[in-house]
Amino acid sequence: MWKIFYFYVILYQIGIIYKGWGEKMLKIIETIVADYKAVFEKDPAARNFLEVILCYPGFHAILLHRLAHFLWKLKIPIIPRLISHINRLLTGIEIHPGAKIGKGFFIDHGMGVVIGETTEIGDNVLIYQGVTLGGTGKEKGKRHPTIGNNVVIGAGAKVLGPITIGDNTRIGAGSVVLKSVPPNCTVVGVPGRVIVQEGRKLTPKEMLEHGNIPDPELSLIEELKSRIEHLENRIEKLERLLREKSENL
């Protein structure tokens, strides 16, 4: 009697384990499919299945990272870091296996991208070559940025420290972001400055236009130029009036 009871208990536990692993595998497959679809959504040069599978280092990098991160969560030593190292050798993209990355993630071109250990990235994020999501200092714990959903990070941009980048934000190429950014913003410059947009989700076309962003320095220069021209006109009028008065004397 007790043997039968123990047998059913064991079967029940096996069922729970199998169900849990089945759900995890389904979630992994859904994430990989979303990553694959993101290539076509975010890169107009993508043409077909075979081209993406064979010729896109950004897609290769995220696939290898998914494997490394899965083993990292199981606390398997050495192997996740080794996969990350091989990933860097093959693609030029360095992603620490501890980094948490949402679905629909795409790295365009990819060479020189660095993503640190405690980085957290939301869904539907697009980053370009040369981007660094890095830490500051030697402190333990959270030391890398948290990136929201639907974020675009332009080529060569640096996002440093345990800061938060809000949803639907664009970071211009070459920017250095050191402070948290609220949602629905555009960030440009060194250090990064925020230019608030209307609160709405970016369209796929806007996500690809990472070079079409406001330039606050140019706007300031143009404003100063306009004010200088206005002052020059006033001075010219005053000088003309003074000449006329002096001629009448």
Side-chain angles (χ1 to χ4, degrees):
M1 183 68 181
W2 284 106
K3 290 182 179 179
I4 296 174
F5 174 74
Y6 285 131
F7 177 72
Y8 278 112
V9 169
I10 292 170
L11 285 179
Y12 177 73
Q13 291 175 339
I14 291 173
I16 292 174
I17 293 171
Y18 177 77
K19 181 180 179 182
W21 277 90
E23 290 175 350
K24 288 181 180 178
M25 290 304 297
L26 182 60
K27 186 176 180 181
I28 290 171
I29 292 171
E30 289 176 350
T31 301
I32 292 173
V33 170
D35 293 336
Y36 170 75
K37 290 181 178 179
V39 178
F40 292 95
E41 291 172 358
K42 298 179 175 69
D43 186 3
R47 291 179 176 83
N48 55 64
F49 170 81
L50 195 61
E51 185 178 80
V52 171
I53 295 299
L54 297 179
C55 305
Y56 272 73
F59 184 64
H60 301 156
I62 190 60
L63 285 182
L64 287 172
H65 171 72
R66 300 289 186 203
L67 174 60
H69 184 65
F70 177 75
L71 299 176
W72 178 269
K73 290 195 296 183
L74 295 178
K75 301 188 183 301
I76 295 175
I78 306 299
I79 295 177
R81 293 301 301 270
L82 180 60
I83 293 173
S84 174
H85 185 65
I86 293 171
N87 194 0
R88 183 179 66 172
L89 291 175
L90 293 176
T91 67
I93 298 168
E94 181 176 346
I95 309 176
H96 193 283
K100 299 177 182 178
I101 301 178
K103 61 184 179 181
F105 178 70
F106 180 51
I107 302 173
D108 200 359
H109 302 293
M111 181 63 70
V113 168
V114 178
I115 300 176
E117 178 185 4
T118 60
T119 301
E120 299 176 49
I121 299 175
D123 297 335
N124 194 36
V125 171
L126 168 63
I127 67 176
Y128 288 84
Q129 69 273 14
V131 167
T132 298
L133 305 180
T136 53
K138 295 183 179 181
E139 69 277 4
K140 298 290 184 181
K142 178 67 173 172
R143 60 190 184 278
H144 297 91
T146 297
I147 310 298
N149 301 321
N150 308 306
V151 172
V152 181
I153 306 179
K158 316 298 177 188
V159 185
L160 305 176
I163 61 177
T164 299
I165 306 299
D167 297 346
N168 307 312
T169 291
R170 289 190 298 172
I171 297 176
S175 300
V176 178
V177 184
L178 303 173
K179 296 180 180 180
S180 292
V181 178
N184 309 307
C185 291
T186 297
V187 180
V188 295
V190 181
R193 293 178 294 277
V194 174
I195 300 172
V196 180
Q197 294 180 315
E198 62 267 25
R200 60 181 178 83
K201 181 178 177 179
L202 296 176
T203 65
K205 182 180 179 181
E206 288 174 322
M207 291 187 73
L208 293 177
E209 293 175 347
H210 65 107
N212 184 21
I213 55 178
D215 186 343
E217 293 182 357
L218 178 60
S219 299
L220 180 60
I221 291 171
E222 289 178 345
E223 183 181 351
L224 289 173
K225 181 181 177 182
S226 176
R227 293 179 66 179
I228 290 170
E229 289 176 351
H230 177 68
L231 290 172
E232 287 178 343
N233 289 333
R234 290 186 64 184
I235 292 171
E236 185 178 347
K237 288 180 180 179
L238 289 172
E239 288 178 343
R240 187 166 58 251
L241 288 172
L242 288 173
R243 283 197 301 270
E244 292 174 355
K245 286 184 177 181
S246 62
E247 289 175 357
N248 293 331
L249 292 176

